[in-house]
Amino acid sequence: MLDKKSPLPMYYQIEEDIKGKIESGLFGVGKTIPSERELSEQYGVSRMTVRQAVSNLVNEGALYREKGKGTFVSERKIEQPLTGMTSFTEDMKKRGMTATSRLIGFSVISAPPDIARKLHLEQGEEVYEIQRIRFADGKPMAVEQTFLPIALVPGVDESIVMGSLYEHIEENHDYKIDKATQVIEATTADQEQSELLAIPYGAAVLHIERLSVLTNGTPFEVVKSSYRADRYKFISEIHRT
Ligand code: 16G
C-alpha cells in the first residue's frame, strides 16, 4: 500500500491513506481507528512511524485521542468561505443545520473607548452588549460578544437576539447591511471559553473581530467571537492579478 521508493516520507503516506479512509467513510466519524500495533502491521512500518502519522492527524484535528479508549475520527470541520457577508443563522441554514443560541449576557452599557471609536460614537453613548453561545444542530460552535449602538437600533430585547440579529436589523429598520472588516487571530481557550464551548482548557480557538457597516456608511456592530478551531476552517479564494 505504501511506496517505499517514494521520496514522500512513510508517515506522510500513512497520513494520506488514513485521510482517504476517513473521506470514503471506511473510518467513520466518532469511531476508533485501528491501534498503533495493528496499523504498524498493516503498513509494515515501525510503531514510531505510525505514531508520527497519527499525531500529525491529531494536531490537524482530523483525529482525537481519548485516554484509555483509543484514537477516534473527528467530525468534519465546517468550511466557512471568507467572501459573502452572512449571518450565523444564514450560514447554518445553507448547510441544512439548525442555528440556535443561548443568551449568556444582555446589558446596556456606555460604550468602552475602543468600541466607541470603531462605531463612531461619542464618549458615554450607550450600546447593547450581547453575549451569545451559537450552536449548530445543538453543538456549541462559537461564543459571540456583540456591541450595537442603541441610538441606531433601539428596541432590541432578549427574544430578538435569540433569533437572527441581522434579520431583525434588515426587516425592522430601514437598513441594509453592506460590508464588514474582519480580523482572525489564533488563541487558546481560557477557563470560561472551555466551559462554554465544551472544549479542553487551552484548546485552539479562532478569535474573530468583525466591524460591520450599513449601506449608508454607518458602522452598526462590533462583534468579538471565539470559534472552535476543531470545528471551523475559513476558506478564501485569492487571485493573482
Ligand atoms: C455571524 C457574525 C457576527 C454576526 C452574526 C449575526 C462572524 C465571525 N460573525 O456570527 O458578526 O453578528 O453572524 O448572526 O461571522 P445572526 O443574524 O444569526 O444573529
Side-chain angles (χ1 to χ4, degrees), residues 10-64:
M10 287 297 140
Y11 68 83
Y12 179 80
Q13 292 185 48
I14 296 171
E15 279 174 47
E16 291 301 304
D17 190 65
I18 294 177
K19 278 187 196 166
K21 287 176 170 151
I22 296 173
E23 291 276 302
S24 72
L26 199 63
F27 289 172
V29 170
K31 302 266 160 58
T32 49
I33 61 162
S35 68
E36 266 178 24
R37 186 181 47 75
E38 287 166 321
L39 289 173
S40 77
E41 278 167 17
Q42 278 173 27
Y43 291 117
V45 297
S46 72
R47 281 173 73 160
M48 269 250 299
T49 305
V50 164
R51 194 168 305 146
Q52 183 168 7
V54 170
S55 294
N56 289 348
L57 292 172
V58 168
N59 291 337
E60 269 178 35
L63 301 174
Y64 63 96

Side-chain angles (χ1 to χ4, degrees), residues 80 82 84-91 99 101 132 134 142 144-146 148 160-169 177 180 182-184 207-212 220-227 232 234:
Q80 178 68 43
L82 286 173
M85 184 187 174
T86 49
S87 72
F88 187 81
T89 307
E90 290 163 343
D91 290 339
S101 300
R132 300 185 283 180
R134 312 300 307 258
E144 287 182 341
Q145 182 187 30
T146 307
L148 287 179
I160 289 169
V161 296
M162 288 303 287
S164 170
L165 193 56
Y166 281 7
E167 193 180 304
H168 171 78
I169 291 173
I177 296 169
Q182 219 167 249
V183 178
I184 306 180
H207 179 79
I208 306 178
E209 186 167 323
R210 182 185 281 199
L211 172 62
S212 314
F220 74 95
E221 68 162 6
V222 172
V223 186
K224 299 183 180 192
S225 40
S226 305
Y227 278 75
Y232 258 86
F234 292 88

